[in-house]
Amino acid sequence: MGKKIKKEAEPPPKDVFDPLTIESKKAATVVLMLNSPEEEILAKACEAIYRFALKGEENKATLLELGAVEPLTKLLTHEDKIVRRNATMIFGILASNNDVKKLLRELDVMSSVIAQLAPEEEVVIHEFASLCLANMSAEYTSKVQIFEHGGLEPLIRLLASPDPDVKKNSIECIYNLVQDFQCRATVQELNAVPPILDLLKSEYPIIQLLALKTLGVITNDKEARVMLRDNQGMDHLIKILETKELNDLHIEALSVIANCLEDMDTLVLIQQTGGLKKLLSFAENSTIPDIQKNAAKAITKAAYDPENRKLFHEQEVEKCLVALLGSENDGTKIAASQAISVMCENSSSKEFFNNQGIPQLIQSLRSDNEEVREAAALALANLTTCNAANANAAAEADAIDPLISILSSKRDGAIASAATVLANMAMQEPLRVNMQNHDVMHALIGPLRSSNTVVQSKAALLVAATACDVEARTELRNSGGLGPLVELLRSKNDEVRRHASWAVTVCASDELTAGELCKLGALEILEEVNLSVSRKNKFSEAAYNKLLNNYLSLKYSLTGYLSSSNIIGDGFYDYGRINPGTKLLPLKDLCLQEPSDLRAVLLVNSKSDISPPPSMEDKSSDIGYGRSISSSSSLRRASKEKTKTNSLHFSAGFGSPTEDRSEPTSGRNTALSKLAIKEKGSRKGRGKKEEEKVKEEEEVAAVPKLIGEGSPDKEWYPPSDPDFCVYVYEVTKSIFPITNIKEQIEALAKYVAEKMGGKVSKEKLHDFSWELHISELKFQLKSNVVPIGLIKQGIFYHRALLFKALADKIGIGCSLVRGEYGRAWNEIKLMNETRKGLIGALPPPEVYIVDLMFHPGGLMKLKSKEADLYRYL
């Protein structure tokens, strides 16, 4: 046999590249390898890039700069499983970088990533694909892309994966997605609640936490709450609360329970199974502030439903809330106060807090934390609304001082709530007085100037509640509060305008404040508001009328009418007719003006230090005239008894003095003496014109100067009118005691006519020289303002004003009406007493005009030829 010869190896084909092993230390080189057609190279390159990316954020940014992302996206759909897996792993890591996320959205790779969630793929691919989606879903645009590419369904399916990482990534992505309402609705349609509830049994806390957070979001919808209840979800949640080892999950579990308690059926179920008591006990006894806070929030959410509040009250939830108020944690105090705010909608709960809770809330008002103070103020606002007992309890616990201090807070909600509490307290007079002692009116200036409409509304309401007393109105006026209050009348907010009008109505209860409001333009604003159908309201109309009724000078100038209830007081002046929108100058300014050719301003003023003339009947009396004249209000009260004996009775209220009148003794003044001499002389037949003229000049000289002398800082007083004081005294003495109202009116009319130049016939009316007389008075007084008592030759409007002024002094109710061309008259309502005995309703009173010119004392029925002639002649 021959020796075997070793066979030589065949050389490789000439067209095949010899294998080459390369060791690369540069990431850029490996990135270039991602474009290789060889699967083994691609797999190894991806593996190397994965390890590189794991090392930190800088490496991820480097890979992005080297352009690795775009070739990697193509590998997601590669035919080779290993290449596809490695590429998916890289994206799971890279997707945590914000710049990579942005590029991935632009490259629209979401469908490729979602495709990796298919059931046939490996668990590793599921893990990193779900990780990539979890990272991407943190941004809204990516959420939309995941939702539109149908990513929710495979993610929900993966909640049942055996791999905990897949579960964690999937539930995290779902949690991010359900922040959008469309995704929440889809989750419910895909029946996601049961698999999410199963995650609560996981041994991994992060998975349990994410599951609870997801449930906390989706249970905001009623359908999800029903699904959770039907799948015994509440049992799972209560068990978590009962397990101390799971205390890191208690806060999120309480958030889910809070949502579920909004559902009445769920609350009943918890109550029936004893879960509600466990919940309240858990909240009260827990030492973790966040748990207490979330428990209180759960109660707050559920208590918005009336039936839920009833159930809570039966479980004595109020005790739990009061205990939470004592917490040292501000967040817990805030949550407990908010829960009390809602719970006190139940009347029984409101009564409970009367004894417990209010002192703790007032303690919170003194907190340094603005949010705590705001929440406590809101709770007190609800507790004291329509509950006088709680308002008293708050006052007894010294709430007034901290509430007033909150009015200067920077938080609008706190200011509004504090103003509400103070307004509720002000309904009781003792509390209102106490508030005024704490300077509440001054503290209101800031809230009235607020730009927040709620604060404006509550502040105006507080003004309406507290400005019931003259002292309070004076303080508000002196503090500059009327200006911002008037500005609120212009508000476009209906409630602000309504409350501001109400406040103006209250403030206009005295003439000084009413006058100041008019100076600030309140009447013009209200007039404009009332012309608008959409802006006017009952309060704006009432405010307008109240301003006029307490500023009668302006009312008469604007409307030309004073009713029987409009009592002319000292300081009233008739400027004449003015157009709407025209401002009426104050009396002081008119008095300081030089005389002009304008119409004389008629002044009514009975205030005087001059003593009255002695009585003609009893000169031994020592009671001064000032005390013998009762106010018109007391006269009206007493007159109701007097008029029972009249054959005719007056439909409006009359007045009479409530005590016997004594005659004055002495103290005759020069002017009054002259008047008495004049009266006496007239009775002896002395009626020469020269003598009368001399006497008038003497009387004018006796009147103090209208324009004050001396320092301008001295307090200004309106000009006195001694003659009118005498008129009041004489009318009170001689006409007031008359028991028959018709005779009383006739006597007063004759008295007025006598003082104003006597009877004037219709034929000689044009010869009655009253203009020259008025001009002389204006010249002698050096002013356009003429006291009504100085006028001895008066025409219609002079006599009508004097009749009204004297009638108001002795309680005869009459109106004053301004006509055209210098006309004015008084209207009286009378009713025949004999009609009382007839069966059926009494006929309406008849209106008469009092004749003061042609036949003084005559009464003309309003709708008659005589009355028309009197008014228009």
Side-chain angles (χ1 to χ4, degrees):
M1 292 178 61
K3 187 178 179 180
K4 290 184 179 179
I5 300 172
K6 186 177 180 180
K7 188 177 180 180
E8 294 181 3
E10 293 183 6
K14 293 180 179 180
D15 59 344
V16 174
F17 186 82
D18 294 334
L20 177 66
T21 302
I22 298 175
E23 184 178 336
S24 176
K25 294 184 179 181
K26 296 290 184 180
T29 305
V30 180
V31 169
L32 292 174
M33 294 169 66
L34 293 175
N35 295 311
S36 171
E38 296 184 51
E39 296 171 353
E40 186 177 353
I41 292 176
L42 290 174
K44 289 183 178 181
C46 287
E47 187 176 346
I49 290 173
Y50 170 74
R51 289 195 301 269
F52 180 72
L54 272 177
K55 293 179 181 179
E57 289 297 319
E58 292 182 1
N59 293 355
K60 296 175 187 177
T62 301
L63 289 171
L64 178 65
E65 292 174 3
L66 293 172
V69 175
E70 190 167 357
L72 279 170
T73 58
K74 298 175 183 178
L75 300 182
L76 286 173
T77 56
H78 199 278
E79 294 178 355
D80 186 79
K81 207 170 200 178
I82 297 175
V83 174
R84 195 165 65 248
R85 180 193 66 193
N86 291 352
T88 305
M89 291 171 64
I90 294 172
F91 278 117
I93 301 301
L94 286 180
S96 63
N97 182 279
N98 291 328
D99 293 327
V100 174
K101 288 180 191 176
K102 183 178 179 182
L103 182 56
L104 288 176
R105 286 196 299 271
E106 294 173 358
L107 295 173
D108 195 18
V109 298
M110 209 62 71
S111 57
S112 300
V113 177
I114 293 172
Q116 308 307 310
L117 302 178
E120 61 272 11
E121 295 291 350
E122 297 178 7
V123 173
V124 176
I125 293 180
H126 287 168
E127 176 187 345
F128 285 95
S130 58
L131 178 61
C132 177
L133 292 176
N135 288 328
M136 293 288 291
S137 62
E139 296 181 359
Y140 177 75
T141 308
S142 298
K143 290 179 188 177
V144 174
Q145 290 181 350
I146 295 172
F147 176 72
E148 290 179 347
H149 288 90
L152 263 175
E153 185 174 2
L155 285 168
I156 293 172
R157 187 182 66 250
L158 289 180
L159 293 178
S161 171
D163 185 82
D165 289 322
V166 176
K167 288 181 179 179
K168 181 262 178 188
N169 296 336
S170 299
I171 190 63
E172 183 178 359
C173 186
I174 292 171
Y175 170 69
N176 291 335
L177 291 174
V178 295
Q179 307 298 323
D180 181 70
F181 74 95
Q182 284 184 319
C183 293
R184 284 202 299 273
T186 305
V187 163
Q188 294 162 26
E189 292 173 4
L190 296 173
N191 197 28
V193 172
I196 294 175
L197 284 173
D198 287 338
L199 295 182
L200 298 179
K201 303 172 186 176
S202 173
E203 59 184 12
Y204 297 96
I206 184 62
I207 295 177
Q208 293 175 309
L209 184 62
L210 288 168
L212 285 171
K213 284 187 173 182
T214 306
L215 288 172
V217 175
I218 64 175
T219 50
N220 284 312
D221 298 333
K222 185 176 181 180
E223 294 78 7
R225 294 197 293 268
V226 173
M227 292 174 67
L228 187 138
R229 185 183 71 235
D230 293 343
N231 287 276
Q232 289 77 46
M234 294 306 299
D235 294 337
H236 292 296
L237 297 171
I238 296 295
K239 284 178 182 178
I240 290 175
L241 294 181
E242 291 175 338
T243 307
K244 292 183 179 180
E245 293 76 13
L246 299 178
N247 57 5
D248 56 331
L249 302 177
H250 288 171
I251 296 173
E252 297 300 334
L254 280 170
S255 297
V256 181
I257 292 174
N259 292 339
C260 294
L261 290 182
E262 293 183 47
D263 185 58
M264 181 62 188
D265 294 333
T266 304
L267 183 60
V268 171
L269 177 64
I270 297 176
Q271 193 255 348
Q272 289 174 350
T273 58
L276 189 55
K277 277 190 176 180
K278 291 179 183 178
L279 175 63
L280 298 179
S281 175
F282 173 76
E284 190 173 348
N285 299 323
S286 176
T287 57
I288 302 175
D290 284 344
I291 290 177
Q292 292 180 321
K293 178 177 68 176
N294 280 9
K297 287 182 177 180
I299 295 169
T300 304
K301 276 190 173 184
Y304 281 109
D305 184 272
E307 293 300 322
N308 290 355
R309 287 197 294 270
K310 187 177 178 182
L311 275 176
F312 276 136
H313 177 65
E314 292 172 358
Q315 297 295 317
E316 297 182 329
V317 72
E318 297 89 353
K319 291 182 179 179
C320 174
L321 295 176
V322 172
L324 294 180
L325 281 177
S327 170
E328 295 181 359
N329 181 269
D330 287 343
T332 302
K333 288 180 181 178
I334 293 169
S337 298
Q338 291 170 343
I340 290 174
S341 300
V342 181
M343 276 302 301
C344 66
E345 293 293 327
N346 181 283
S347 57
S348 301
S349 296
K350 187 177 280 190
E351 291 174 8
F352 175 90
F353 290 120
N354 176 261
N355 300 318
Q356 302 179 50
I358 287 181
Q360 291 89 333
L361 287 170
I362 292 170
Q363 189 66 32
S364 296
L365 291 179
R366 297 183 172 91
S367 171
D368 295 332
N369 189 314
E370 289 280 354
E371 290 185 36
V372 173
R373 297 169 70 189
E374 180 177 357
L378 176 61
L380 285 172
N382 291 342
L383 282 170
T384 56
T385 299
C386 301
N387 193 302
N390 284 350
N392 268 321
E396 289 172 3
D398 298 326
I400 292 177
D401 191 49
L403 284 169
I404 290 176
S405 69
I406 288 177
L407 293 179
S408 58
S409 169
K410 295 179 181 179
R411 297 181 71 89
D412 290 335
I415 298 172
S417 296
T420 302
V421 181
L422 291 169
N424 293 336
M425 289 181 174
M427 299 301 174
Q428 302 175 58
E429 186 175 359
L431 302 186
R432 185 169 66 246
V433 173
N434 194 359
M435 288 162 52
Q436 291 166 6
N437 293 335
H438 284 77
D439 203 18
V440 66
M441 305 309 289
H442 182 74
L444 270 171
I445 307 303
L448 286 173
R449 291 196 173 107
S450 172
S451 59
N452 184 289
T453 55
V454 177
V455 174
Q456 292 172 348
S457 171
K458 300 302 181 184
L461 189 62
L462 181 53
V463 172
T466 53
C468 303
D469 306 319
V470 176
E471 295 80 6
R473 292 193 290 271
T474 302
E475 184 182 348
L476 182 67
R477 187 173 66 246
N478 294 339
S479 300
L482 296 181
L485 179 61
V486 169
E487 285 303 311
L488 294 185
L489 295 172
R490 304 180 188 271
S491 175
K492 296 180 180 179
N493 183 280
D494 291 342
E495 186 175 273
V496 173
R497 204 165 52 249
R498 184 165 56 248
H499 287 171
S501 299
W502 187 1
V504 168
T505 304
V506 175
C507 290
S509 296
D510 65 80
E511 191 169 350
L512 276 176
T513 309
E516 185 65 25
L517 287 167
C518 292
K519 285 181 188 177
L520 294 167
L523 264 175
E524 291 83 353
I525 298 171
L526 287 168
E527 186 177 13
E528 179 187 347
V529 168
N530 291 333
L531 289 174
S532 170
V533 177
S534 60
R535 296 176 67 203
K536 74 174 181 178
N537 54 70
K538 296 293 183 183
F539 290 102
S540 65
E541 294 173 349
Y544 182 78
N545 293 329
K546 189 69 175 286
L547 277 174
L548 287 181
N549 287 335
N550 285 282
Y551 194 5
L552 294 182
S553 302
L554 178 60
K555 179 177 182 179
Y556 190 50
S557 293
L558 274 175
T559 66
Y561 181 79
L562 295 181
S563 69
S564 58
S565 62
N566 297 140
I567 308 302
I568 290 181
D570 296 327
F572 173 88
Y573 58 101
D574 176 14
Y575 179 81
R577 189 191 304 275
I578 62 174
N579 295 322
T582 305
K583 286 193 175 183
L584 179 64
L585 290 176
L587 179 61
K588 180 180 179 181
D589 294 350
L590 293 171
C591 288
L592 296 177
Q593 288 180 351
E594 293 294 326
S596 64
D597 56 353
L598 295 176
R599 174 190 183 281
V601 179
L602 307 181
L603 171 65
V604 176
N605 185 21
S606 65
K607 289 183 179 179
S608 175
D609 296 330
I610 301 172
S611 301
S615 168
M616 297 300 172
E617 297 177 4
D618 186 3
K619 296 184 179 181
S620 62
S621 174
D622 60 352
I623 299 179
Y625 124 81
R627 291 172 57 189
S628 69
I629 302 173
S630 300
S631 67
S632 59
S633 59
S634 63
L635 295 176
R636 289 179 179 276
R637 287 195 298 270
S639 69
K640 293 180 180 178
E641 299 178 2
K642 181 186 76 174
T643 53
K644 291 181 180 177
T645 59
N646 295 345
S647 59
L648 292 171
H649 78 274
F650 180 51
S651 63
F654 302 138
S656 63
T658 56
E659 58 187 26
D660 294 337
R661 301 178 182 276
S662 301
E663 302 298 329
T665 54
S666 59
R668 185 175 301 187
N669 171 274
T670 306
L672 298 183
S673 300
K674 294 179 185 299
L675 180 64
I677 293 170
K678 178 182 173 184
E679 297 281 340
K680 185 176 179 181
S682 63
R683 286 194 292 271
K684 293 182 179 180
R686 292 169 55 194
K688 294 181 180 180
K689 293 184 178 179
E690 293 81 1
E691 293 177 355
E692 291 179 356
K693 186 174 182 179
V694 170
K695 291 181 185 298
E696 289 173 7
E697 291 174 356
E698 290 175 348
E699 290 165 7
V700 169
V703 179
K705 290 183 179 180
L706 290 171
I707 302 176
E709 298 177 357
S711 172
D713 295 333
K714 291 183 178 179
E715 187 175 359
W716 181 87
Y717 294 98
S720 60
D721 189 353
D723 291 56
F724 182 68
C725 294
V726 174
Y727 293 172
V728 174
Y729 169 75
E730 292 180 346
V731 165
T732 306
K733 179 180 178 299
S734 59
I735 298 177
F736 176 71
I738 299 174
T739 57
N740 185 290
I741 184 61
K742 196 170 184 180
E743 293 176 3
Q744 205 177 28
I745 293 169
E746 182 180 353
L748 181 60
K750 289 179 179 179
Y751 182 87
V752 169
E754 179 186 351
K755 299 302 179 184
M756 286 285 180
K759 175 182 177 180
V760 180
S761 64
K762 299 173 185 176
E763 294 77 14
K764 295 183 178 180
L765 182 61
H766 60 280
D767 295 329
F768 187 63
S769 180
W770 60 273
E771 295 97 336
L772 178 61
H773 171 60
I774 299 297
S775 298
E776 289 174 349
L777 288 176
K778 288 164 61 177
F779 176 75
Q780 291 163 357
L781 296 169
K782 294 183 174 57
S783 173
N784 271 352
V785 179
V786 178
I788 191 70
L790 294 183
I791 300 175
K792 307 305 176 187
Q793 289 180 278
I795 197 66
F796 292 94
Y797 70 92
H798 303 120
R799 300 186 182 205
L801 176 59
L802 181 59
F803 183 89
K804 168 71 173 169
L806 293 174
D808 286 345
K809 293 292 184 183
I810 61 173
I812 297 177
C814 72
S815 61
L816 176 62
V817 186
R818 190 195 305 279
E820 301 293 337
Y821 310 111
R823 298 294 187 270
W825 59 89
N826 304 102
E827 294 178 359
I828 299 281
K829 291 182 180 180
L830 293 174
M831 178 161 56
N832 197 327
E833 183 74 14
T834 58
R835 298 285 298 175
K836 276 191 172 183
L838 298 180
I839 299 175
L842 288 173
E846 295 176 335
V847 183
Y848 294 87
I849 291 179
V850 183
D851 189 345
L852 300 172
M853 287 290 294
F854 309 131
H855 302 286
L859 296 178
M860 300 166 286
K861 208 176 269 191
L862 184 60
K863 294 182 179 180
S864 64
K865 291 182 179 180
E866 293 84 357
D868 292 341
L869 183 64
Y870 184 84
R871 287 186 293 172
Y872 300 115
L873 183 62

